[in-house]
Amino acid sequence: SAYIKTSMSSDLNIDSFRKSTIAVISNSKTPASIAFSDMLATELVGVGFKVIERNRIESIIEEQKLSLSGLLAKSNYDILGKVGNLDELLVFIGKYDGETLKSCVLKFVNIKTGEILFAVNYDASKLNGGSNMMQAARTIADSIKKSLAKDNK
């Protein structure tokens, strides 16, 4: 199976985090990255997050003349937070081989503070050929759900 590790900030309020409004943003706009972003967003709705549609966030980025590379600058968080009505931004960097996901790093970043509240490292590179993107999205979402349930007890 794929290697997966979740980490969370000691300051994380799990109950309010689970009710967060998030946007899933990738570091690139390749077809594989866009497809995985949409799959992951769908799976995170099942975890309980309110997820803003990728196209809505992309139009805000375009309207506000923010660049994808500059998106992670703290000054841009406030714009996205206010205009997009977001609590957290889920930023991910993925490594793909065609239709398979080799690995990715996901970070839930608080819009107001810039703090990384929750992170996931996923590595399927040791699997024969990597991981089907849909299966990877499910595995990651399940791992997030289990981590939040486990640490809430």
Side-chain angles (χ1 to χ4, degrees):
S1 70
Y3 167 81
I4 188 161
K5 181 178 184 336
T6 58
S7 306
M8 68 178 74
S9 166
S10 59
D11 298 334
L12 182 66
N13 179 322
I14 292 173
D15 288 330
S16 63
F17 180 65
R18 272 194 223 163
K19 297 172 187 157
S20 294
T21 301
I22 65 171
V24 180
I25 304 274
S26 173
N27 68 320
S28 73
K29 288 189 164 203
T30 65
S33 181
I34 291 168
F36 184 67
S37 173
D38 289 345
M39 290 175 203
L40 187 59
T42 301
E43 293 297 325
L44 290 172
V45 168
V47 173
F49 290 102
K50 291 178 253 167
V51 181
I52 302 300
E53 174 61 33
R54 177 181 48 81
N55 293 335
R56 171 73 181 122
I57 295 305
E58 286 178 356
S59 69
I60 291 170
I61 291 168
E62 206 170 288
E63 287 168 13
Q64 301 297 321
K65 305 212 182 327
L66 304 175
S67 71
L68 204 52
S69 61
L71 189 60
L72 298 182
K74 173 66 179 103
S75 59
N76 293 333
Y77 288 167
D78 293 333
I79 294 169
L80 277 174
K82 288 175 187 160
V83 180
N85 197 26
L86 298 172
D87 300 311
E88 267 74 50
L89 197 58
L90 172 55
V91 180
F92 76 90
I93 300 168
K95 184 177 177 185
Y96 308 92
D97 183 10
E99 296 289 314
T100 60
L101 178 68
K102 294 290 190 181
S103 63
C104 70
V105 175
L106 301 94
K107 298 175 186 175
F108 287 86
V109 180
N110 181 280
I111 287 285
K112 291 181 181 78
T113 66
E115 179 185 5
I116 297 171
L117 298 174
F118 194 91
V120 180
N121 287 320
Y122 177 84
D123 185 358
S125 62
K126 292 186 180 25
L127 295 178
N128 188 16
S131 178
N132 169 287
M133 285 193 282
M134 183 50 115
Q135 185 57 46
R138 279 191 194 117
T139 301
I140 291 167
D142 286 346
S143 179
I144 291 168
K145 188 175 186 174
K146 286 176 189 167
S147 292
L148 294 177
K150 174 179 60 183
D151 288 320
N152 199 28
K153 292 179 179 169

Tab-separated table of all heavy atoms in Angstrom, residues 23-26 28 30-46 51-58 90 92 96 106 133-134 137-138 141:
chain	number	residue	atom	x	y	z
A	23	ALA	N	-10.771	25.703	-0.094
A	23	ALA	CA	-10.575	25.626	-1.540
A	23	ALA	C	-9.361	24.751	-1.763
A	23	ALA	O	-8.385	24.832	-1.018
A	23	ALA	CB	-10.339	27.011	-2.128
A	24	VAL	N	-9.432	23.902	-2.765
A	24	VAL	CA	-8.321	23.014	-3.106
A	24	VAL	C	-7.564	23.649	-4.268
A	24	VAL	O	-8.132	23.889	-5.321
A	24	VAL	CB	-8.841	21.610	-3.501
A	24	VAL	CG1	-7.681	20.694	-3.865
A	24	VAL	CG2	-9.677	21.007	-2.379
A	25	ILE	N	-6.294	23.946	-4.035
A	25	ILE	CA	-5.469	24.638	-5.020
A	25	ILE	C	-4.221	23.805	-5.294
A	25	ILE	O	-3.562	23.355	-4.361
A	25	ILE	CB	-5.012	26.019	-4.486
A	25	ILE	CG1	-6.188	26.869	-4.077
A	25	ILE	CG2	-4.118	26.709	-5.485
A	25	ILE	CD1	-6.814	27.661	-5.147
A	26	SER	N	-3.890	23.639	-6.557
A	26	SER	CA	-2.679	22.921	-6.934
A	26	SER	C	-1.598	23.911	-7.338
A	26	SER	O	-1.893	25.047	-7.692
A	26	SER	CB	-2.971	21.992	-8.112
A	26	SER	OG	-1.771	21.417	-8.578
A	28	SER	N	0.059	23.548	-9.987
A	28	SER	CA	0.151	23.570	-11.444
A	28	SER	C	-1.237	23.418	-12.063
A	28	SER	O	-2.195	23.100	-11.371
A	28	SER	CB	1.079	22.469	-11.950
A	28	SER	OG	0.458	21.206	-11.816
A	30	THR	N	-1.804	21.410	-14.875
A	30	THR	CA	-1.763	20.305	-15.826
A	30	THR	C	-3.094	19.559	-15.772
A	30	THR	O	-3.805	19.626	-14.759
A	30	THR	CB	-0.620	19.321	-15.488
A	30	THR	OG1	-0.906	18.713	-14.228
A	30	THR	CG2	0.725	20.017	-15.448
A	31	PRO	N	-3.464	18.859	-16.826
A	31	PRO	CA	-4.720	18.091	-16.787
A	31	PRO	C	-4.777	17.107	-15.611
A	31	PRO	O	-5.813	16.966	-14.968
A	31	PRO	CB	-4.730	17.362	-18.132
A	31	PRO	CG	-3.924	18.240	-19.040
A	31	PRO	CD	-2.849	18.822	-18.161
A	32	ALA	N	-3.659	16.459	-15.307
A	32	ALA	CA	-3.637	15.506	-14.186
A	32	ALA	C	-3.866	16.229	-12.864
A	32	ALA	O	-4.624	15.764	-12.007
A	32	ALA	CB	-2.308	14.756	-14.155
A	33	SER	N	-3.238	17.382	-12.705
A	33	SER	CA	-3.380	18.153	-11.470
A	33	SER	C	-4.815	18.658	-11.286
A	33	SER	O	-5.365	18.603	-10.191
A	33	SER	CB	-2.402	19.323	-11.488
A	33	SER	OG	-2.505	20.061	-10.311
A	34	ILE	N	-5.410	19.134	-12.356
A	34	ILE	CA	-6.798	19.611	-12.298
A	34	ILE	C	-7.742	18.461	-11.983
A	34	ILE	O	-8.633	18.585	-11.129
A	34	ILE	CB	-7.184	20.320	-13.615
A	34	ILE	CG1	-6.415	21.644	-13.741
A	34	ILE	CG2	-8.690	20.550	-13.698
A	34	ILE	CD1	-6.487	22.291	-15.105
A	35	ALA	N	-7.535	17.321	-12.624
A	35	ALA	CA	-8.379	16.151	-12.370
A	35	ALA	C	-8.253	15.701	-10.921
A	35	ALA	O	-9.262	15.444	-10.248
A	35	ALA	CB	-7.997	15.011	-13.318
A	36	PHE	N	-7.018	15.623	-10.410
A	36	PHE	CA	-6.829	15.187	-9.027
A	36	PHE	C	-7.424	16.192	-8.051
A	36	PHE	O	-8.032	15.816	-7.046
A	36	PHE	CB	-5.348	14.942	-8.722
A	36	PHE	CG	-5.124	14.414	-7.341
A	36	PHE	CD1	-5.568	13.142	-6.996
A	36	PHE	CD2	-4.497	15.175	-6.382
A	36	PHE	CE1	-5.392	12.644	-5.710
A	36	PHE	CE2	-4.307	14.689	-5.098
A	36	PHE	CZ	-4.753	13.428	-4.769
A	37	SER	N	-7.288	17.478	-8.352
A	37	SER	CA	-7.873	18.523	-7.504
A	37	SER	C	-9.379	18.331	-7.370
A	37	SER	O	-9.940	18.398	-6.270
A	37	SER	CB	-7.565	19.899	-8.113
A	37	SER	OG	-8.238	20.912	-7.426
A	38	ASP	N	-10.045	18.076	-8.485
A	38	ASP	CA	-11.496	17.872	-8.463
A	38	ASP	C	-11.878	16.598	-7.718
A	38	ASP	O	-12.848	16.576	-6.965
A	38	ASP	CB	-12.058	17.861	-9.883
A	38	ASP	CG	-12.046	19.234	-10.531
A	38	ASP	OD1	-11.866	20.239	-9.810
A	38	ASP	OD2	-12.206	19.310	-11.763
A	39	MET	N	-11.119	15.527	-7.919
A	39	MET	CA	-11.392	14.266	-7.211
A	39	MET	C	-11.216	14.441	-5.708
A	39	MET	O	-12.037	13.977	-4.905
A	39	MET	CB	-10.461	13.157	-7.714
A	39	MET	CG	-10.748	12.697	-9.111
A	39	MET	SD	-9.479	11.504	-9.615
A	39	MET	CE	-9.597	11.650	-11.395
A	40	LEU	N	-10.145	15.116	-5.326
A	40	LEU	CA	-9.863	15.344	-3.915
A	40	LEU	C	-10.942	16.219	-3.280
A	40	LEU	O	-11.418	15.930	-2.173
A	40	LEU	CB	-8.481	15.980	-3.759
A	40	LEU	CG	-7.953	16.127	-2.349
A	40	LEU	CD1	-7.860	14.776	-1.647
A	40	LEU	CD2	-6.578	16.789	-2.383
A	41	ALA	N	-11.356	17.265	-3.981
A	41	ALA	CA	-12.419	18.142	-3.469
A	41	ALA	C	-13.692	17.349	-3.214
A	41	ALA	O	-14.342	17.499	-2.174
A	41	ALA	CB	-12.670	19.284	-4.452
A	42	THR	N	-14.051	16.487	-4.144
A	42	THR	CA	-15.249	15.655	-3.998
A	42	THR	C	-15.140	14.754	-2.774
A	42	THR	O	-16.092	14.644	-1.985
A	42	THR	CB	-15.459	14.796	-5.264
A	42	THR	OG1	-15.603	15.679	-6.378
A	42	THR	CG2	-16.678	13.911	-5.151
A	43	GLU	N	-13.997	14.135	-2.595
A	43	GLU	CA	-13.804	13.247	-1.436
A	43	GLU	C	-13.829	14.023	-0.119
A	43	GLU	O	-14.319	13.524	0.889
A	43	GLU	CB	-12.492	12.468	-1.577
A	43	GLU	CG	-12.475	11.474	-2.714
A	43	GLU	CD	-13.490	10.356	-2.574
A	43	GLU	OE1	-13.767	9.907	-1.443
A	43	GLU	OE2	-14.032	9.922	-3.616
A	44	LEU	N	-13.318	15.254	-0.117
A	44	LEU	CA	-13.291	16.053	1.111
A	44	LEU	C	-14.685	16.526	1.524
A	44	LEU	O	-14.932	16.751	2.708
A	44	LEU	CB	-12.329	17.231	0.958
A	44	LEU	CG	-10.854	16.808	0.915
A	44	LEU	CD1	-9.973	17.997	0.574
A	44	LEU	CD2	-10.423	16.165	2.222
A	45	VAL	N	-15.588	16.658	0.571
A	45	VAL	CA	-16.982	16.962	0.914
A	45	VAL	C	-17.527	15.821	1.782
A	45	VAL	O	-18.223	16.055	2.768
A	45	VAL	CB	-17.845	17.169	-0.350
A	45	VAL	CG1	-19.322	17.200	-0.014
A	45	VAL	CG2	-17.429	18.461	-1.059
A	46	GLY	N	-17.157	14.594	1.437
A	46	GLY	CA	-17.579	13.432	2.213
A	46	GLY	C	-17.013	13.400	3.622
A	46	GLY	O	-17.580	12.780	4.513
A	51	VAL	N	-16.510	22.758	0.523
A	51	VAL	CA	-15.482	22.977	-0.491
A	51	VAL	C	-16.004	23.931	-1.560
A	51	VAL	O	-17.066	23.710	-2.128
A	51	VAL	CB	-15.045	21.646	-1.150
A	51	VAL	CG1	-13.950	21.883	-2.181
A	51	VAL	CG2	-14.564	20.651	-0.089
A	52	ILE	N	-15.251	24.995	-1.811
A	52	ILE	CA	-15.589	25.959	-2.850
A	52	ILE	C	-15.095	25.411	-4.186
A	52	ILE	O	-13.970	24.926	-4.290
A	52	ILE	CB	-14.948	27.339	-2.563
A	52	ILE	CG1	-15.406	27.879	-1.200
A	52	ILE	CG2	-15.275	28.329	-3.675
A	52	ILE	CD1	-16.901	28.076	-1.056
A	53	GLU	N	-15.925	25.515	-5.194
A	53	GLU	CA	-15.620	25.008	-6.531
A	53	GLU	C	-14.327	25.623	-7.075
A	53	GLU	O	-14.084	26.828	-6.960
A	53	GLU	CB	-16.791	25.320	-7.465
A	53	GLU	CG	-16.593	24.990	-8.905
A	53	GLU	CD	-16.353	23.504	-9.166
A	53	GLU	OE1	-16.908	22.659	-8.443
A	53	GLU	OE2	-15.596	23.206	-10.100
A	54	ARG	N	-13.488	24.780	-7.658
A	54	ARG	CA	-12.198	25.215	-8.207
A	54	ARG	C	-12.351	26.369	-9.196
A	54	ARG	O	-11.589	27.331	-9.175
A	54	ARG	CB	-11.497	24.029	-8.881
A	54	ARG	CG	-10.184	24.384	-9.551
A	54	ARG	CD	-9.543	23.181	-10.229
A	54	ARG	NE	-10.454	22.417	-11.061
A	54	ARG	CZ	-10.794	22.747	-12.313
A	54	ARG	NH1	-10.303	23.825	-12.859
A	54	ARG	NH2	-11.612	21.985	-13.006
A	55	ASN	N	-13.344	26.300	-10.080
A	55	ASN	CA	-13.533	27.364	-11.070
A	55	ASN	C	-13.819	28.706	-10.416
A	55	ASN	O	-13.397	29.751	-10.916
A	55	ASN	CB	-14.660	27.002	-12.040
A	55	ASN	CG	-14.290	25.824	-12.919
A	55	ASN	OD1	-13.130	25.555	-13.150
A	55	ASN	ND2	-15.294	25.106	-13.385
A	56	ARG	N	-14.539	28.697	-9.291
A	56	ARG	CA	-14.830	29.941	-8.566
A	56	ARG	C	-13.538	30.540	-8.014
A	56	ARG	O	-13.304	31.735	-8.124
A	56	ARG	CB	-15.827	29.652	-7.433
A	56	ARG	CG	-16.042	30.792	-6.491
A	56	ARG	CD	-16.875	31.931	-7.100
A	56	ARG	NE	-17.023	33.010	-6.147
A	56	ARG	CZ	-16.645	34.253	-6.374
A	56	ARG	NH1	-16.151	34.599	-7.531
A	56	ARG	NH2	-16.790	35.170	-5.456
A	57	ILE	N	-12.707	29.704	-7.453
A	57	ILE	CA	-11.435	30.191	-6.901
A	57	ILE	C	-10.527	30.692	-8.023
A	57	ILE	O	-9.891	31.739	-7.898
A	57	ILE	CB	-10.744	29.084	-6.077
A	57	ILE	CG1	-11.595	28.746	-4.841
A	57	ILE	CG2	-9.333	29.481	-5.673
A	57	ILE	CD1	-11.923	29.932	-3.945
A	58	GLU	N	-10.492	29.972	-9.136
A	58	GLU	CA	-9.661	30.410	-10.265
A	58	GLU	C	-10.136	31.752	-10.809
A	58	GLU	O	-9.320	32.590	-11.183
A	58	GLU	CB	-9.649	29.350	-11.363
A	58	GLU	CG	-8.804	28.151	-10.998
A	58	GLU	CD	-8.813	27.049	-12.051
A	58	GLU	OE1	-9.533	27.163	-13.061
A	58	GLU	OE2	-8.079	26.071	-11.836
A	90	LEU	N	-6.422	24.555	0.916
A	90	LEU	CA	-5.712	23.280	0.822
A	90	LEU	C	-4.820	23.362	-0.405
A	90	LEU	O	-5.297	23.374	-1.535
A	90	LEU	CB	-6.671	22.102	0.703
A	90	LEU	CG	-6.030	20.747	0.400
A	90	LEU	CD1	-4.964	20.392	1.415
A	90	LEU	CD2	-7.058	19.661	0.318
A	92	PHE	N	-1.810	21.758	-2.635
A	92	PHE	CA	-1.110	20.492	-2.827
A	92	PHE	C	-0.165	20.555	-4.005
A	92	PHE	O	-0.365	21.284	-4.958
A	92	PHE	CB	-2.083	19.313	-2.950
A	92	PHE	CG	-2.790	19.211	-4.270
A	92	PHE	CD1	-2.240	18.485	-5.317
A	92	PHE	CD2	-4.011	19.829	-4.463
A	92	PHE	CE1	-2.895	18.382	-6.525
A	92	PHE	CE2	-4.676	19.727	-5.662
A	92	PHE	CZ	-4.117	19.001	-6.700
A	96	TYR	N	2.970	13.324	-10.933
A	96	TYR	CA	2.129	12.422	-11.709
A	96	TYR	C	2.939	11.708	-12.786
A	96	TYR	O	3.966	12.203	-13.237
A	96	TYR	CB	1.013	13.203	-12.413
A	96	TYR	CG	0.235	14.088	-11.480
A	96	TYR	CD1	0.605	15.411	-11.282
A	96	TYR	CD2	-0.858	13.599	-10.790
A	96	TYR	CE1	-0.095	16.225	-10.414
A	96	TYR	CE2	-1.571	14.406	-9.910
A	96	TYR	CZ	-1.172	15.717	-9.732
A	96	TYR	OH	-1.865	16.508	-8.865
A	106	LEU	N	0.077	17.717	0.844
A	106	LEU	CA	-1.091	18.583	0.994
A	106	LEU	C	-0.948	19.373	2.282
A	106	LEU	O	-0.550	18.819	3.304
A	106	LEU	CB	-2.380	17.760	1.080
A	106	LEU	CG	-2.703	16.870	-0.086
A	106	LEU	CD1	-2.194	15.481	0.156
A	106	LEU	CD2	-4.185	16.851	-0.311
A	133	MET	N	-5.510	7.901	-9.486
A	133	MET	CA	-5.797	9.182	-8.829
A	133	MET	C	-7.051	9.138	-7.972
A	133	MET	O	-7.079	9.694	-6.882
A	133	MET	CB	-5.883	10.307	-9.863
A	133	MET	CG	-4.533	10.727	-10.376
A	133	MET	SD	-4.570	12.278	-11.287
A	133	MET	CE	-5.229	11.746	-12.838
A	134	MET	N	-8.099	8.473	-8.436
A	134	MET	CA	-9.328	8.405	-7.663
A	134	MET	C	-9.100	7.631	-6.369
A	134	MET	O	-9.558	8.039	-5.308
A	134	MET	CB	-10.462	7.775	-8.493
A	134	MET	CG	-11.775	7.745	-7.749
A	134	MET	SD	-12.180	9.355	-7.042
A	134	MET	CE	-13.606	9.779	-7.937
A	137	ALA	N	-7.156	9.856	-3.994
A	137	ALA	CA	-8.014	10.881	-3.382
A	137	ALA	C	-8.836	10.275	-2.246
A	137	ALA	O	-8.967	10.875	-1.171
A	137	ALA	CB	-8.922	11.508	-4.434
A	138	ARG	N	-9.390	9.079	-2.463
A	138	ARG	CA	-10.168	8.402	-1.411
A	138	ARG	C	-9.294	8.060	-0.205
A	138	ARG	O	-9.689	8.256	0.940
A	138	ARG	CB	-10.790	7.115	-1.958
A	138	ARG	CG	-12.033	7.339	-2.718
A	138	ARG	CD	-12.768	6.031	-3.017
A	138	ARG	NE	-13.769	6.337	-4.021
A	138	ARG	CZ	-13.803	5.825	-5.229
A	138	ARG	NH1	-12.910	4.933	-5.604
A	138	ARG	NH2	-14.734	6.169	-6.081
A	141	ALA	N	-8.450	11.278	1.713
A	141	ALA	CA	-9.624	11.770	2.441
A	141	ALA	C	-9.935	10.872	3.639
A	141	ALA	O	-10.235	11.362	4.734
A	141	ALA	CB	-10.825	11.870	1.514
